[in-house]
């Protein structure tokens, strides 16, 4: 399920276009709430596809598994840096446990 | 807020509904062959990350290194116990390979081995670093001047007086304005359907499905409503995947060291294969995994302990390209459980990319509705298409369209009264209540996950009756906003698909594909009467079911409805 860091999210107000996560969500589940932050209609409608996570310019979004599937409360983020996707696996307390770089664009 | 505005009108030479992997490639191929024609892709979300490959894809599962087309046709035929359209599989296999260098030229990375060849994962599968597959296809579509309407769900085909499909009607999710789009022909690439059965994961994890929960079969339901012939819905596709996060298992098989074991540590499927004297088919791999559980030899596990840390990390990286939640699960597990992955079946889906359920199409991928083509997971009759097969079908449809370029239709008035009704009417019923009811009926009476996928005549007749009652409640759904309006139409579509599915299941009085299609009252395969397709047509509110023979001219045989 999506985890929104409201301290980092600014509703993409700096962009001259719709908020990235709202625009990209394949389930049309995200919106900007009254506080100007990203929010989800219903967290249990989320497929955990990472489309919003990868699109967020402020790295404010991450995915964690529903508690019934995994009790760790750990989070995973992924974002594009040039031709790679950089992934960070963090414990609930924010400690970075693993970082992976995967090639995702060729020449 | 919305209904007062006059509908927007779009015109194109070809409309493609569904901006997933097949739809975007179809647009690109059309513009490459006919740059002056206008092609319009209509997508309900955003084509940059929509459809079943939103997360990416880490392998091309149909790449024939040996170029042996007939060998592939035989393999698929064996896997589906002979009920297969050989013409469709053959035309897919003939073209599949060429899309790999095309994807590579677009910027999707493919690793190479020391000889410069693609890295093989199994006999017909090569490794792809496809996390950005969709964004790259999207960029290519824009670069090829494919027009794309995002956030624009469609809800019905527009037909002329002769039944020819001349366009589609839909609405804009952001503005609420309705639109009509007209074209010489329409290509349906909206994929298969999930969300018809109660999901294997309940409650807060209920959308942790294998197939995208946002692929709800709208393009199929629109076709059924318009009278298109459908095939083989009764062969549901059920994915044998890692339990809970439902990630693919192929990625786990790094070399030959990873084994799939029952609770006694036996490679149970090898034992069964030795007993049968042949390889297990895809549905049997699921069936016999369930058998192990039924016989008290579960859980069935993939044992990753032979992997060293480097191999383990390399496997996790491969999952990041396609199914990152498995990485969350494994790394989130306590250390002693990090290298054990249980396998389990998913909820059933309607799917023509892995299975054979979908539109009945000609070799040219024309549906039985004039002016409408189908390609990818929405087109039936040919299993194991995977990404390259979906591309091949898109290309076949595009070539037929260009060779037989039909005239441009005159825009016709469209009745869109139904479209906005849930916003103004309804009786407080929420779409999610109807979804839960649909999934409960299908799970319990039409062979869902909790029933080991099995059913019988009396249960199916009950499902038919309950779905009929549920259909009558659709008008009570109230949609509070445009998002709920889309969801309301989607649940209506899924109920129709469920009704067709139940009729197909009633009509196949045998068990041809254990687990995918299990009739407890007819537990044996009956080649004499049922080595044929079960097809259907929706006419005047009635679902007519009939058989078609396996080969051209696919002779029709009427059967009595139960």
């Amino acid at each position: 399920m999506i985890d929104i860091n409201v301290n980092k999210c600014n509703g993409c107000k700096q962009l001259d276009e719709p908020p990235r996560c709202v625009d990209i969500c394949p389930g049309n589940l995200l919106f900007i709430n009254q506080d100007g932050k990203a929010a989800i209609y219903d967290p249990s409608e989320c497929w955990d596809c990472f489309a919003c996570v990868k699109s967020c310019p402020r790295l404010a979004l991450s995915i964690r598994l529903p508690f019934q599937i995994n009790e760790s409360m750990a989070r995973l983020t992924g974002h594009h840096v040039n031709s790679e996707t950089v992934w960070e696996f963090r414990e609930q307390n924010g400690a970075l446990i693993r970082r992976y770089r995967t090639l995702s664009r060729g020449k | 807020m919305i209904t007062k505005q006059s509908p927007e009108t779009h015109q194109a030479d070809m409309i493609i509904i569904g901006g997933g992997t097949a739809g975007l490639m179809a647009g690109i191929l059309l513009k490459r062959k006919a740059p002056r024609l206008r092609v319009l892709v209509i997508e309900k979300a955003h084509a940059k990350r929509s459809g079943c490959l939103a997360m990416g894809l880490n392998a091309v599962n149909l790449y024939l290194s040996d170029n042996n087309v007939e060998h592939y046709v035989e393999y698929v035929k064996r896997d589906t116990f002979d009920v297969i359209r050989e013409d469709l599989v053959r035309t897919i296999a003939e073209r599949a390979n060429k899309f790999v260098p095309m994807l590579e030229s677009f910027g999707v990375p493919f690793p190479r081995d020391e000889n410069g060849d693609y890295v093989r994962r199994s006999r017909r599968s090569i490794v792809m670093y496809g996390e950005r597959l969709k964004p790259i296809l999207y960029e290519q579509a824009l670069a090829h001047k494919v027009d794309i309407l995002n956030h624009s769900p469609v809800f019905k085909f527009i037909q002329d007086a002769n039944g020819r499909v001349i366009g589609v009607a839909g609405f804009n999710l952001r503005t609420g304005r309705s639109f009509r789009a007209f074209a010489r022909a329409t290509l349906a690439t909206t994929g298969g359907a999930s969300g018809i059965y109660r999901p294997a994961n309940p409650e807060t994890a209920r959308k942790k499905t294998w197939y995208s929960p946002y692929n709800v079969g709208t393009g199929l339901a629109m076709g059924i409503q318009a009278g298109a012939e459908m095939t083989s819905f009764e062969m549901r596709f059920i994915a044998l995947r890692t339990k809970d996060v439902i990630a693919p298992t192929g990625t786990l098989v790094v070399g030959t060291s990873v084994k799939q074991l029952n609770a006694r540590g036996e490679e149970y499927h090898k034992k069964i294969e030795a007993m049968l004297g042949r390889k297990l088919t895809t549905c049997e791999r699921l069936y016999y995994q369930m058998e192990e559980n039924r016989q008290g030899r579960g859980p069935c596990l993939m044992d990753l302990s032979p992997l060293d840390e480097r191999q383990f990390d390399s496997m996790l990286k491969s999952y990041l390209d396609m199914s990152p939640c498995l990485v969350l699960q494994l790394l989130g597990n306590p250390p002693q459980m990090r290298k054990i992955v249980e396998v389990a079946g998913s909820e059933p889906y309607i799917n023509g990319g892995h299975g054979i359920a979908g539109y009945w199409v000609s070799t040219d991928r024309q549906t039985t509705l004039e002016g409408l083509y189908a390609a990818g997971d929405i087109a039936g009759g040919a299993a194991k298409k995977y990404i390259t097969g979906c591309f091949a079908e898109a290309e076949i449809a595009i070539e037929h369209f260009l060779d037989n370029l039909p005239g441009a239709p005159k825009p016709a008035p469209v009745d869109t009264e139904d479209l906005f009704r849930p916003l103004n009417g309804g009786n407080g019923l929420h779409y999610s209540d109807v979804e839960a009811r649909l999934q409960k009926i299908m799970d319990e009476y039409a062979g869902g996950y909790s029933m080991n996928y099995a059913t019988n005549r009396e249960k199916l007749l009950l499902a038919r009756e309950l779905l009929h009652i549920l259909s009558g409640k659709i008008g009570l759904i109230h949609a509070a906003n445009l998002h709920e309006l889309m969801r309301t139409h989607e649940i209506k579509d899924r109920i129709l698909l469920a009704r067709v599915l139940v009729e197909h299941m009633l009509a196949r009085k045998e068990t041809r594909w254990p687990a995918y299609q299990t009739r407890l009252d007819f537990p044996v395969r009956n080649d004499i009467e049922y080595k044929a397709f079960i097809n259907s047509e929706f006419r005047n509110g009635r679902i007519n079911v009939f058989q078609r023979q396996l080969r051209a001219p696919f002779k029709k045989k009427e059967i009595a409805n139960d």
Side-chain angles (χ1 to χ4, degrees):
Chain A
M1 54 215 320
I2 186 173
D3 194 299
I4 301 164
N5 183 336
V6 291
N7 297 321
K8 284 188 181 173
C9 172
N10 69 351
C12 280
K13 62 174 184 241
Q14 80 283 9
L15 297 180
D16 197 19
E17 53 191 90
R20 295 264 169 85
C21 61
V22 175
D23 209 36
I24 205 78
C25 175
N28 192 47
L29 299 173
L30 301 172
F31 64 100
I32 301 297
N33 67 14
Q34 287 169 332
D35 303 332
K37 310 284 186 184
I40 183 161
Y41 285 115
D42 178 354
S44 56
E45 290 277 305
C46 175
W47 190 32
D48 299 343
C49 76
F50 286 79
C52 58
V53 173
K54 293 165 188 168
S55 77
C56 180
R58 295 177 61 92
L59 311 185
L61 306 176
S62 57
I63 297 288
R64 70 175 176 84
L65 293 174
F67 189 78
Q68 60 168 289
I69 286 180
N70 196 277
E71 293 126 327
S72 71
M73 311 279 274
R75 286 178 282 112
L76 184 63
T77 58
H79 64 279
H80 294 153
V81 179
N82 302 319
S83 60
E84 291 180 324
T85 310
V86 178
W87 302 85
E88 292 182 348
F89 175 85
R90 289 174 190 275
E91 282 181 348
Q92 188 186 9
N93 64 13
L96 178 66
I97 303 299
R98 301 240 189 157
R99 181 185 281 126
Y100 292 107
R101 307 177 82 93
T102 55
L103 181 68
S104 54
R105 182 188 288 278
K107 283 172 208 94
Chain B
M1 55 180 149
I2 36 197
T3 44
K4 301 273 189 294
Q5 298 178 44
S6 63
E8 212 170 338
T9 301
H10 302 281
Q11 275 192 289
D13 292 295
M14 180 173 244
I15 292 168
I16 297 168
I17 56 166
T21 314
L24 288 183
M25 182 58 99
I28 293 165
L29 293 170
L30 189 141
K31 291 299 280 188
R32 285 194 157 191
K33 290 169 204 288
R36 277 199 291 241
L37 293 190
R38 183 171 179 223
V39 57
L40 178 66
V41 174
I42 306 180
E43 161 60 45
K44 73 171 175 178
H46 195 297
K48 190 175 173 185
R49 283 279 184 195
S50 60
C52 53
L53 299 184
M55 285 188 232
L57 186 66
N58 67 15
V60 171
N61 284 331
L62 168 49
Y63 182 82
L64 303 179
S65 303
D66 59 1
N67 260 311
N68 194 332
V69 169
E70 289 312 310
H71 204 268
Y72 189 72
V73 175
E74 280 307 308
Y75 158 67
V76 179
K77 193 174 158 190
R78 264 200 316 277
D79 203 72
T80 53
F81 293 99
D82 297 323
V83 176
I84 194 79
R85 282 277 302 276
E86 289 182 36
D87 59 324
L88 301 183
V89 178
R90 187 170 291 115
T91 48
I92 282 169
E94 283 164 358
R95 294 170 186 246
N97 283 8
K98 71 176 190 194
F99 295 104
V100 170
M102 190 185 288
L103 284 178
E104 204 174 18
S105 75
F106 289 169
V108 180
F110 285 81
R112 304 272 188 160
D113 64 16
E114 57 276 16
N115 302 321
D117 295 327
Y118 296 121
V119 175
R120 277 166 66 163
R121 207 171 67 181
S122 63
R123 184 168 185 164
R124 300 176 191 88
S125 175
I126 58 170
V127 177
M128 169 168 70
Y129 296 151
E131 187 272 302
R132 265 193 258 193
L133 174 71
K134 275 303 312 273
I136 288 170
L137 279 174
Y138 178 71
E139 278 171 20
Q140 284 294 321
L142 294 183
H144 281 82
K145 300 204 173 358
V146 173
D147 292 317
I148 300 173
L149 276 184
N150 287 315
H151 305 123
S152 299
V154 293
F155 82 110
K156 73 163 162 189
F157 289 123
I158 304 169
Q159 291 170 282
D160 70 10
N162 301 318
R164 182 186 174 78
V165 172
I166 56 170
V168 293
F171 70 100
N172 184 300
L173 258 180
R174 298 289 181 259
T175 64
R177 193 170 175 193
S178 69
F179 67 82
R180 311 168 304 172
F182 297 96
R184 297 168 191 268
T186 300
L187 170 62
T189 53
T190 54
S194 63
I196 291 172
Y197 282 87
R198 190 152 55 190
N201 286 313
E203 294 147 10
T204 52
R206 67 178 190 268
K207 300 288 165 162
K208 281 222 75 48
T209 49
W210 167 75
Y211 203 53
S212 166
Y214 317 122
N215 278 23
V216 296
T218 295
L220 289 165
M222 287 163 60
I224 292 167
Q225 287 283 8
E229 186 172 332
M230 296 288 157
T231 189
S232 306
F233 275 30
E234 77 282 7
M235 196 241 241
R236 293 109 24 104
F237 181 70
I238 303 164
L240 179 63
R241 296 294 185 267
T242 73
K243 190 170 161 289
D244 300 335
V245 299
I246 323 193
T249 54
T251 311
L252 293 171
V253 187
V254 187
T256 51
S257 59
V258 172
K259 294 185 167 66
Q260 192 171 316
L261 308 170
N262 66 14
R264 295 182 189 170
E266 300 163 327
E267 285 190 87
Y268 60 93
H269 55 276
K270 291 205 173 154
K271 216 170 67 183
I272 298 154
E273 285 179 346
M275 204 172 69
L276 295 173
R278 61 169 173 82
K279 288 259 183 211
L280 291 180
T281 65
T282 311
C283 69
E284 286 176 327
R285 282 204 288 276
L286 169 63
Y287 177 79
Y288 284 107
Q289 180 269 339
M290 290 160 56
E291 271 301 295
E292 290 304 298
N293 281 292
R294 273 196 287 258
Q295 309 276 337
R297 293 189 295 269
C300 297
L301 307 163
M302 309 282 281
D303 176 14
L304 307 184
S305 58
L307 302 182
D308 63 28
E309 283 315 296
R310 195 190 52 82
Q311 288 171 314
F312 185 68
D313 265 357
S314 147
M315 181 206 73
L316 293 184
K317 282 172 78 171
S318 191
Y319 271 110
L320 291 171
D321 284 346
M322 172 166 197
S323 205
C325 283
L326 192 85
V327 177
L328 258 176
Q329 189 184 30
L330 291 184
L331 293 182
N333 277 344
Q336 71 275 18
M337 295 180 72
R338 209 161 274 168
K339 288 193 171 176
I340 291 172
V341 180
E342 189 175 344
V343 296
S346 68
E347 51 287 323
Y349 310 103
I350 293 174
N351 186 300
H354 289 254
I356 58 170
Y359 276 91
W360 181 252
V361 292
S362 68
T363 315
D364 301 314
R365 273 57 175 185
Q366 299 179 83
T367 70
T368 57
L369 296 177
E370 224 183 304
L372 181 67
Y373 296 87
D377 283 0
I378 198 174
K384 299 194 172 289
K385 284 171 200 173
Y386 306 116
I387 181 174
T388 42
C390 293
F391 290 161
E393 291 203 314
E395 186 181 59
I396 293 164
I398 295 296
E399 284 177 4
H400 186 269
F401 167 71
L402 293 174
D403 290 345
N404 300 275
L405 201 64
K410 274 202 252 22
V414 187
D415 179 12
T416 52
E417 202 188 320
D418 291 350
L419 175 57
F420 295 114
R421 193 173 290 144
L423 284 171
N424 309 314
N427 193 13
L429 189 60
H430 196 250
Y431 72 84
S432 61
D433 290 321
V434 180
E435 175 179 73
R437 179 69 184 145
L438 166 69
Q439 294 179 347
K440 180 177 165 66
I441 295 169
M442 294 302 286
D443 181 60
E444 293 171 2
Y445 300 122
Y449 177 81
S450 76
M451 294 289 155
N452 287 324
Y453 312 119
T455 185
N456 57 17
R457 178 175 181 271
E458 290 71 21
K459 282 193 177 184
L460 288 167
L461 290 175
L462 191 50
R464 172 199 276 167
E465 184 64 26
L466 294 174
L467 289 172
H468 178 73
I469 295 169
L470 187 60
S471 299
K473 309 288 185 193
I474 293 168
L476 301 180
I477 304 174
H478 176 71
N481 53 44
L482 294 169
H483 175 71
E484 294 194 2
L485 179 65
M486 173 171 72
R487 287 286 185 267
T488 302
H489 285 291
E490 290 177 351
I491 190 67
K492 186 189 74 191
D493 292 341
R494 282 184 276 165
I495 292 171
L496 180 60
L497 294 182
R499 288 175 58 201
V500 174
L501 175 50
V502 164
E503 296 306 321
H504 276 251
M505 291 176 93
L506 276 165
R508 189 173 284 284
K509 296 183 175 66
E510 62 159 359
T511 295
R512 179 149 298 263
W513 306 286
Y516 289 4
Q517 183 264 334
T518 299
R519 282 286 299 261
L520 294 168
D521 44 353
F522 297 99
V524 181
R525 202 167 291 120
N526 176 351
D527 275 347
I528 294 167
E529 287 182 81
Y530 289 99
K531 204 157 130 179
F533 293 101
I534 304 286
N535 285 10
S536 64
E537 267 176 358
F538 186 66
R539 288 282 154 86
N540 307 317
R542 220 185 117 75
I543 302 157
N544 295 313
V545 182
F546 49 91
Q547 283 194 359
R548 277 199 190 275
Q549 287 183 351
L550 295 181
R551 285 186 182 74
F554 309 107
K555 215 174 123 203
K556 195 168 167 178
K557 184 181 155 198
E558 300 296 338
I559 47 177
N561 273 34
D562 261 84

